[in-house]
Amino acid sequence: MHNVTKSMIGSLLALSLTGAAAAQAEETLRFATWDTDESLAIQQAIAKKFEEMHPGVKVQVEPYADGYDQKLAAAFGAGNPPDVMYMWNFPQYYTSLMPLDDLIARDAAEIKPDDFPQGLMNTTRVEGKTYGMPSGFTTQVVFYNKEMFAKAGVEEPKDGWTWDDLRAKAAKFRDEANKVYGFAVDAKPDPYDFEQFLWSNGTKYISDDGKEIDGYMNSDAAAQVLDMFADMARTQEAVTLNLGDDTSGATLFKGGKIAMFQSAMWSKAGIDAAGFSYGVAPLPKFGARVAHSALGVSAISIAKDAAHPDLAWEFVKFFSSPEAVAMRTNDLPVRTSVAEEKGMTKDPIYKPFFDILATSNTETHAYLKNANWGKIQDNLARAIEATMIDQGNAKAHLDDAVARSKRLLK
């Protein structure tokens, strides 16, 4: 009898344990990402680490790739969003996301929020609330071809250089016969990135409350920036991109047709592959003003209606931990401590990216200030292109853009 009882208890215990394991295995956390290839493999490795730390939990990595926005919007629309997702367009999605401020404050000792540069955190806030943790970033810099500089006998850029310095150097590479120039200016730049030049010249597209563009987008300081780039094209200190020719600046730089190229981390791998010696300089200043950079930031967010909100926050915390940040070798580290530990804040190739990040913490991109910014910037883009075609007359084109956009501010 005693043996029968023990056998029954053992069977019940086994069934109980099996049931518990099954229940745990059913806890699946959905994580949507736009990344592919090597970056996706890194995220899958981070997910696996998290699973090892949380037995019974499965992280289902969902790579939406090029169709990311459409698939994410469809998932929210169907009431079946992933628990955790990559995010950048906070104005579009923040009403569907979980505010993280209380969680960050509660777990501050673990997260160490001061380890994240303020400029990166600013990009995840809408109406004063935080809707994501930064996961990767880039600032803008100037790549320059050391071999071209040495051959032309031109001194390489130094910290603190100005746009006047850049123009003087660029003029020395002007060679119309061989179509070689010192720099490239884009007639159709991404207005998101272009705002960095207005910040660096003491203005911005739109007021901080998101209600005024007159006196900002068409200010004298803004017109001065556009006219400067137009004048660089007129004097052939720079070649103009996207006017009758779609050859990219990256192609020209890698082909030795321009000596300096303003871009970001996404260009580095291609430049490395080109095989020549290059340096990286910070963005030039406008006179004595501090240079600012646009911030390209990816973040990780939690759906407001996540099926597993507590587990989602645990995953976000791990994804933001020094261990996981260090694993994301395809991104610049979003934690200062990790960047310093890797020596990147002193490496001459990476240092300019971090230096200008430190001075890019006071301005907010226009798209975070006004819900209609996407429509307003279409008029701005036309003003920039018209200025480049005219090789000047920026104030008139910007005034026209402001006049066309005022109705969109309502």
Side-chain angles (χ1 to χ4, degrees):
M1 182 66 184
H2 180 70
N3 289 339
V4 172
T5 301
K6 283 179 63 178
S7 176
M8 288 179 63
I9 292 173
S11 297
L12 289 170
L13 181 60
L15 284 170
S16 175
L17 291 173
T18 302
Q24 286 182 331
E26 290 174 358
E27 195 167 21
T28 299
L29 186 77
R30 295 172 58 203
F31 168 37
T33 175
W34 55 62
D35 277 327
T36 59
D37 303 326
E38 295 91 348
S39 294
L40 175 60
I42 290 170
Q43 289 165 20
Q44 290 169 329
I46 293 172
K48 186 173 179 60
K49 283 271 187 184
F50 184 78
E51 290 173 349
E52 292 170 358
M53 296 166 61
H54 297 78
V57 170
K58 169 70 176 175
V59 179
Q60 179 174 298
V61 180
E62 301 179 3
Y64 293 176
D66 290 341
Y68 187 82
D69 271 330
Q70 294 88 340
K71 292 176 182 175
L72 190 62
F76 276 121
N80 185 33
D83 298 281
V84 180
M85 70 219 70
Y86 256 36
M87 181 55 57
W88 73 274
N89 194 348
F90 288 98
Q92 179 174 340
Y93 291 104
Y94 78 97
T95 56
S96 299
L97 302 177
M98 180 188 297
L100 303 181
D101 301 276
D102 290 345
L103 295 170
I104 293 171
R106 185 193 71 188
D107 295 338
E110 183 180 357
I111 291 182
K112 296 181 173 59
D114 290 344
D115 201 22
F116 293 85
Q118 193 60 47
L120 302 185
M121 293 302 300
N122 289 345
T123 66
T124 68
R125 293 192 178 110
V126 180
E127 298 179 353
K129 293 184 179 179
T130 305
Y131 291 94
M133 291 297 295
S135 57
F137 83 98
T138 186
T139 47
Q140 298 270 328
V141 296
V142 175
F143 296 91
Y144 62 95
N145 186 323
K146 282 177 169 282
E147 296 169 15
M148 290 179 70
F149 269 71
K151 186 177 179 180
V154 178
E155 185 180 16
E156 294 182 10
K158 295 179 179 178
D159 285 349
W161 69 327
T162 66
W163 281 101
D164 286 343
D165 296 329
L166 183 147
R167 295 186 67 173
K169 295 179 189 300
K172 296 177 181 177
F173 293 97
R174 181 171 45 216
D175 181 355
E176 185 176 6
N178 291 303
K179 298 186 181 306
V180 175
Y181 301 92
F183 195 62
V185 293
D186 195 343
K188 299 178 182 178
D190 184 339
Y192 178 90
D193 294 330
F194 196 84
E195 191 171 15
Q196 65 192 357
F197 303 122
L198 274 67
W199 293 337
S200 298
N201 203 31
T203 188
K204 57 193 74 178
Y205 289 151
I206 189 169
S207 60
D208 287 336
D209 62 8
K211 297 179 179 178
E212 295 288 341
I213 55 174
D214 196 1
Y216 292 89
M217 197 164 84
N218 59 343
S219 64
D220 290 343
Q224 185 182 35
V225 170
L226 267 66
D227 280 334
M228 180 193 76
F229 287 123
D231 197 52
M232 292 176 69
R234 183 185 64 79
T235 59
Q236 296 188 340
E237 294 161 3
V239 63
T240 307
L241 304 177
N242 291 315
L243 275 186
D245 185 340
D246 60 0
T247 305
S248 70
T251 297
L252 294 174
F253 184 65
K254 289 184 288 187
K257 293 297 185 181
I258 56 174
M260 294 174 282
F261 175 47
Q262 176 239 312
S263 189
M265 267 300 289
W266 52 71
S267 294
K268 182 178 178 299
I271 295 171
D272 286 337
F276 58 80
S277 177
Y278 71 90
V280 178
L283 289 179
K285 302 190 303 179
F286 285 88
R289 296 182 184 277
V290 174
H292 297 256
S293 172
L295 298 175
V297 182
S298 58
I300 184 169
S301 298
I302 301 174
K304 185 173 64 178
D305 298 324
H308 306 286
D310 294 338
L311 188 60
W313 175 239
E314 289 302 313
F315 183 72
V316 168
K317 282 196 296 183
F318 179 67
F319 206 82
S320 305
S321 69
E323 179 183 1
V325 170
M327 289 174 69
R328 291 203 298 278
T329 51
N330 278 14
D331 287 318
L332 289 172
V334 292
R335 280 188 178 271
T336 301
S337 61
V338 175
E340 291 175 345
E341 185 176 342
K342 289 188 170 188
M344 298 175 80
T345 55
K346 295 182 178 178
D347 184 309
I349 293 296
Y350 293 102
K351 183 175 182 295
F353 291 95
F354 291 95
D355 285 350
I356 202 162
L357 173 62
T359 63
S360 303
N361 60 352
T362 58
E363 300 292 350
T364 301
H365 282 281
Y367 87 108
L368 292 168
K369 299 178 184 175
N370 188 292
N372 274 345
W373 179 252
K375 297 175 182 176
I376 296 171
Q377 77 167 11
D378 289 342
N379 294 324
L380 170 65
R382 281 192 284 273
I384 295 173
E385 182 179 4
T387 300
M388 297 306 299
I389 292 172
D390 281 0
Q391 296 188 338
N393 206 21
K395 186 67 167 66
H397 293 304
L398 289 171
D399 284 343
D400 182 62
V402 167
R404 291 173 181 272
S405 302
K406 280 187 175 179
R407 65 181 176 83
L408 299 171
L409 289 170
K410 298 178 181 177

